[in-house]
Amino acid sequence: MDDCLFCKIIKGDIPSNKIYEDEDTYAFFDIHPQTRVHALVVSKHHIPDLGYNAELSDHELAACLRACAAVATQLGLAQGGYRVVNNCGKDACQTVQHLHFHILGGQQMAERMA
Ligand code: 5GP
Ligand code: ZN
């Protein structure tokens, strides 16, 4: 998608602090961290949100979650734990319409999600 921010980041047209990359996913640090460690894992295959998951292969979809775990391990979060968040649509306040997962950690989280 030519006008998609995360597609531009994946292509390298917009700079990012890359953490991890494989055939299906790309991960980088969020520009406005909400926790001490805040990374984003994005699918290289552009879909607007999780609701469009039928457009991804099972392999591509699984790759997103595997990348989340790999990134968390790479960032040293595996032992203490971390949260994986996907905002899907308006009520979830999704702001970038390209499937992505937030990896949040490096600190004790609130017990319940708001
Ligand atoms: P959403 O609200 O759609 O779930 O998450 C989008 C995330 O992308 C936000 O946490 C926001 O801070 C992050 N973000 C927006 N623009 C950029 C950017 O240009 N670079 C990086 N690294 N993160 C961005
Ligand atoms: Zn995109």
Side-chain angles (χ1 to χ4, degrees):
M1 287 275 287
D2 288 347
D3 59 349
C4 170
L5 174 67
F6 285 173
C7 283
K8 287 179 183 164
I9 285 178
I10 292 164
K11 279 200 323 193
D13 292 347
I14 291 177
S16 65
N17 287 322
K18 175 176 155 180
I19 302 165
Y20 171 93
E21 182 173 15
D22 62 32
E23 190 186 350
D24 300 300
T25 69
Y26 184 87
F28 52 100
F29 286 104
D30 196 291
I31 203 166
H32 293 126
Q34 302 298 313
T35 47
R36 284 198 197 112
V37 180
H38 185 173
L40 297 172
V41 171
V42 309
S43 169
K44 284 188 176 175
H45 184 153
H46 176 100
I47 58 169
D49 63 48
L50 199 54
Y52 292 77
N53 69 81
E55 296 178 19
L56 296 189
S57 68
D58 289 352
H59 179 84
E60 288 172 322
L61 200 50
C64 289
L65 282 185
R66 291 191 200 284
C68 288
V71 165
T73 298
Q74 192 176 317
L75 295 176
L77 302 177
Q79 192 179 353
Y82 54 92
R83 187 168 280 167
V84 178
V85 172
N86 171 254
N87 294 322
C88 182
K90 186 168 58 66
D91 283 359
C93 303
Q94 182 183 0
T95 57
V96 179
Q97 316 308 316
H98 177 129
L99 180 67
H100 58 279
F101 298 84
H102 298 257
I103 312 295
L104 301 157
Q107 64 187 68
Q108 181 62 56
M109 302 287 184
E111 197 173 327
R112 299 168 64 96
M113 288 195 278

